[in-house]
Amino acid sequence: MRAIEVRKPGDIHVVEVQKPELETDKDVLVKVQAVGICGSDMHIYHGSNPFTVYPRIIGHEVGGIVEEVGSGVHGLRRGDRVALEPISSCGVCYACKKGRPNVCAKLEVFGVHRDGGMREWMVAPEANWHKVNGDLPFEAAALVEPMTIGAQAAYRGNIEPGDTVFIMGAGPTGIACLIMAKQKGATVFISDLQANRLDYAKQVGADFTIHLPHEKPEAVLFEKTDGEFANVVIDAVGTSTTFAEAVKLASVAGTVVTLGFNETPSDIPSLLLTKKELTVAGSRLQTNQFPDVIRQVNEQKVDPASIISHRFDFDEVKKAIELLEKEPAHVRKAVLIFEREDESK
């Protein structure tokens, strides 16, 4: 079968590899139909992901159809449409015992620590595959995973109806956070340097957009919230500067959620945290968010495919990578199609 493999940083190819087989009675073989390209895939391509060993078949935003199940699989059957939950955890460490396998001491992610879904077939345990409606497009199934990232940020921020939320960054992750914050009943502000990204954010529910650097978040939030600022600030940019600004722009008794992996220290006086009694929460991957996100998708409350701006056949992966490198501001989400659906059915 064919797969997309990063042999080493900057070196990506469509290669021939052996088709995987079931290894345990709990395994499920899926015919991959669509895979989203994530920022982490780009980091692996650029050599900036410290967890990856090369060569690596990338891809963790996967939608497909069940082709074969092990004898111990009872929740899925041949023909089911599924979305991949790409994390594997040990179940016994402190994090797992606390119900947070997304930060397991032995965490592994398909497409990062082990081979992922950019291949024609993929095997993973039943627990990693979530059934979706039979009429849901495969590309929408693939993008359930990034929606769960937004759901996790909303969960970590404890967003409640009526809250004011400020999201920093209107890229794919920021948009996912926006969509899920609106599902929680929040009033949402979102900022970005690119006007086209903000235009799209408005289309999918943003109440207020802030076009940097022409508008200042502090001034806009002060005016629109009568000086209260944002009850929840989600930093989907992840720089030392944005994190420090997020702490500054959070309201009294507010929460700051950071999704970044930046290693540069931020200069934040403890006075800001203590005086406002802020909660600062990291948000990584997701914890048990798939069932609720899939419910919302199945009920057509959330449409993951709406964030797609570009589609490519999987053998056009180099073309997709080139676009993401040269014109990132014009790409909301690029999806690789492994097999076209028969729209006549």
Side-chain angles (χ1 to χ4, degrees):
M1 70 171 186
R2 290 178 294 175
I4 295 170
E5 181 181 81
V6 179
R7 295 175 178 170
K8 60 183 180 180
D11 187 11
I12 189 168
H13 295 274
V14 177
V15 298
E16 285 289 336
V17 298
Q18 186 174 355
K19 180 181 176 180
E21 298 179 350
L22 304 184
E23 295 182 2
T24 76
D25 64 353
K26 293 292 186 180
D27 280 347
V28 176
L29 173 68
V30 168
K31 181 75 169 71
V32 175
Q33 305 289 314
V35 182
I37 302 177
C38 177
S40 62
D41 298 317
M42 296 299 292
H43 294 154
I44 294 169
Y45 174 72
H46 289 133
S48 57
N49 188 313
F51 304 111
T52 298
V53 176
Y54 300 89
R56 175 64 68 224
I57 296 172
I58 57 175
H60 63 269
E61 300 174 357
V62 181
I65 187 166
V66 174
E67 187 166 291
E68 184 182 356
V69 300
S71 59
V73 173
H74 303 295
L76 294 172
R77 62 182 181 180
R78 181 181 174 88
D80 284 343
R81 295 191 178 212
V82 291
L84 176 69
E85 179 174 353
I87 67 174
S88 174
S89 55
C90 72
V92 297
C93 71
Y94 177 76
C96 287
K97 289 178 179 178
K98 293 288 287 185
R100 295 165 68 175
N102 56 316
V103 287
C104 169
K106 297 182 179 179
L107 176 74
E108 290 192 342
V109 180
F110 285 101
V112 181
H113 304 84
R114 58 174 72 177
D115 283 342
M118 288 191 187
R119 45 180 159 167
E120 292 182 280
W121 284 273
M122 180 178 179
V123 167
E126 178 185 13
N128 289 95
W129 297 109
H130 293 267
K131 184 178 178 180
V132 299
N133 275 358
D135 58 354
L136 186 72
F138 289 113
E139 59 189 28
L143 298 187
V144 165
E145 193 277 339
M147 288 295 110
T148 68
I149 303 303
Q152 181 74 3
Y155 162 70
R156 294 289 286 157
N158 194 28
I159 296 175
E160 297 178 340
D163 279 350
T164 298
V165 176
F166 174 40
I167 299 170
M168 309 171 85
T173 299
I175 292 296
C177 292
L178 161 63
I179 291 171
M180 303 317 294
K182 291 303 296 181
Q183 287 295 310
K184 294 288 187 180
T187 297
V188 180
F189 295 72
I190 191 166
S191 65
D192 203 274
L193 292 165
Q194 303 296 331
N196 61 316
R197 285 186 168 182
L198 294 175
D199 289 341
Y200 179 72
K202 196 75 174 177
Q203 293 176 33
V204 295
D207 298 283
F208 301 97
T209 59
I210 302 173
H211 188 191
L212 306 173
H214 312 290
E215 298 176 286
K216 303 299 182 183
E218 184 173 8
V220 174
L221 285 166
F222 184 88
E223 177 189 354
K224 299 297 183 182
T225 66
D226 294 327
E228 183 178 82
F229 293 107
N231 309 127
V232 181
V233 182
I234 299 175
D235 179 9
V237 178
T239 68
S240 59
T241 302
T242 54
F243 180 53
E245 186 178 20
V247 171
K248 182 179 179 181
L249 296 177
S251 72
V252 170
T255 301
V256 173
V257 180
T258 177
L259 290 84
F261 277 91
N262 182 48
E263 295 183 355
T264 304
S266 293
D267 187 12
I268 301 173
S270 61
L271 173 65
L272 290 177
L273 302 177
T274 305
K275 184 179 179 180
K276 295 192 287 186
E277 200 175 39
L278 297 182
T279 298
V280 178
S283 183
R284 184 182 185 189
L285 302 168
Q286 57 78 40
T287 303
N288 302 321
Q289 301 296 336
F290 269 82
D292 192 54
V293 170
I294 288 174
R295 176 188 61 78
Q296 294 180 64
V297 171
N298 285 341
E299 294 175 358
Q300 300 183 348
K301 294 179 179 178
V302 172
D303 179 12
S306 67
I307 68 173
I308 299 173
S309 58
H310 295 78
R311 297 169 175 84
F312 298 88
D313 288 334
F314 80 95
D315 55 4
E316 296 178 306
V317 62
K318 289 186 178 181
K319 181 179 178 181
I321 293 291
E322 182 179 6
L323 177 68
L324 285 161
E325 289 194 306
K326 292 184 176 179
E327 301 183 57
H330 294 91
V331 183
R332 292 195 303 272
K333 173 62 71 172
V335 172
L336 300 176
I337 307 299
F338 279 69
E339 188 168 311
R340 297 285 176 180
E341 292 197 65
D342 185 353
E343 297 181 356
S344 66
K345 291 183 179 179

